[in-house]
Amino acid sequence: MRSPINLSTSQHLNPMNNVIAIDGPGGAGKSSVSRLVGRRLGYLHVDSGALYRIMTWQCLVRGVDTSDPAAVAALAADVDIECRPEDGAIAYYVGGEAPGDRIRTPEINAHASAVATVKEVRDRVTAILRAMTRHGNLVVEGRDITTAVFPDSPARFYLTASAEARARRRQKEEIEKGIANQSAEAVKASLLARDRIDSTRRYAPLRKADGAIEIDSSDMTLEQVVDAVMAALPAEWTAQGNL
Ligand code: DC
């Protein structure tokens, strides 16, 4: 028989499934690393930042002022978000539609940190993330996954890199995806502005959790970072996966 569901605690929804938690600032390589670790293990990749981006996108679409916490809080309760496992990741649908690159624009970048400071937004996203453990083993990346969403996971990582390396990667990604064509300086300024808001906000600020393993990826290849994460996982996890 299943035990009762308690949404106020972190790992109790499905204690049978594993969660690898990866936090760090923008451009540190969290998405690429999480996706590859997920692929190696057969764990589902979860991009938690996309949920904050979806909330931000909906604010902009509906004309909600992102600097008005009460208005943003009201919207947070009202956004219809569906999560489905698809191709090794959790895919999001808003009102039945995939948001795609509409949540990756410089405009969303500029407003997302403000939206992510609102407690009601964070509570809603946290509940959505915890409920995902029912879909299987997960690799979850974000800013507060190791500190607030899954603080009990035995596999918690803080992935970082120099501001220059992060800006270079983000700029390359934006150009390759055709999302924007900003100078490295502009990308760096936007990243640093968001870092500041993310790490100084009142609720669940970005910080390295006690006991999390820190990896500085500035001078590492993607493969090296993935290997470092894999090497630090509990041995039983690397032996089984979802497969
Ligand atoms: O990782 P990203 O750039 O897609 O994140 C978008 C925004 O959401 C960013 O400003 C930080 C915020 N965020 C957060 O506060 N907590 C998370 N777990 C993930 C992202």
Side-chain angles (χ1 to χ4, degrees):
M1 217 172 75
R2 280 174 176 259
S3 52
I5 288 173
N6 179 356
L7 275 175
S8 68
T9 52
S10 58
Q11 292 277 278
H12 301 161
L13 277 170
N14 192 339
M16 299 303 291
N17 287 324
N18 303 335
V19 175
I20 299 171
I22 304 184
D23 281 329
K30 296 187 300 287
S31 296
S32 311
V33 170
S34 306
R35 216 169 283 128
L36 283 177
V37 168
R39 207 174 293 159
R40 282 208 199 167
L41 291 169
Y43 283 27
L44 292 163
H45 170 233
V46 179
D47 173 4
S48 68
L51 291 167
Y52 291 97
R53 289 173 176 275
I54 284 172
M55 294 294 189
T56 308
W57 173 51
Q58 288 299 299
C59 285
L60 299 178
V61 166
R62 300 192 203 180
V64 170
D65 178 359
T66 59
S67 64
D68 177 352
V72 173
L75 172 130
D78 198 44
V79 180
D80 164 34
I81 301 178
E82 192 200 335
C83 304
R84 284 186 224 154
E86 255 173 40
D87 302 327
I90 296 289
Y92 306 118
Y93 292 87
V94 179
E97 239 189 281
D101 283 340
R102 285 177 290 184
I103 60 166
R104 307 274 162 204
T105 64
E107 197 190 6
I108 302 281
N109 292 345
H111 290 267
S113 286
V115 170
T117 61
V118 177
K119 185 173 186 304
E120 289 80 358
V121 171
R122 304 210 66 82
D123 288 348
R124 171 105 203 267
V125 170
T126 298
I128 292 173
L129 292 168
R130 288 178 181 163
M132 279 178 201
T133 56
R134 72 194 162 94
H135 292 299
N137 297 327
L138 309 174
V139 190
V140 189
E141 49 144 324
R143 303 288 194 290
D144 67 337
I145 309 305
T146 59
T147 55
V149 184
F150 295 110
D152 303 332
S153 164
R156 294 178 302 141
F157 298 88
Y158 187 79
L159 187 56
T160 185
S162 68
E164 289 69 29
R166 295 191 288 121
R168 252 194 328 271
R169 288 176 192 158
R170 230 348 116 75
Q171 183 199 27
K172 185 162 170 269
E173 195 178 289
E174 286 185 357
I175 293 173
E176 277 171 6
K177 287 192 176 168
I179 298 167
N181 195 351
Q182 307 184 87
S183 68
E185 273 313 302
V187 176
K188 184 175 156 189
S190 148
L191 275 177
L192 291 178
R194 285 195 287 145
D195 284 357
R196 210 157 26 241
I197 304 176
D198 293 341
S199 52
T200 56
R201 68 181 173 224
R202 179 162 174 206
Y203 304 108
L206 170 66
R207 64 175 177 84
K208 180 182 168 294
D210 293 340
I213 295 170
E214 180 165 347
I215 302 174
D216 183 331
S217 70
S218 307
D219 298 314
M220 292 170 82
T221 64
L222 180 55
E223 283 300 314
Q224 286 172 328
V225 180
V226 171
D227 287 343
V229 170
M230 295 291 295
L233 296 177
E236 322 80 83
W237 293 17
T238 45
Q240 68 193 30
N242 267 343
L243 302 173

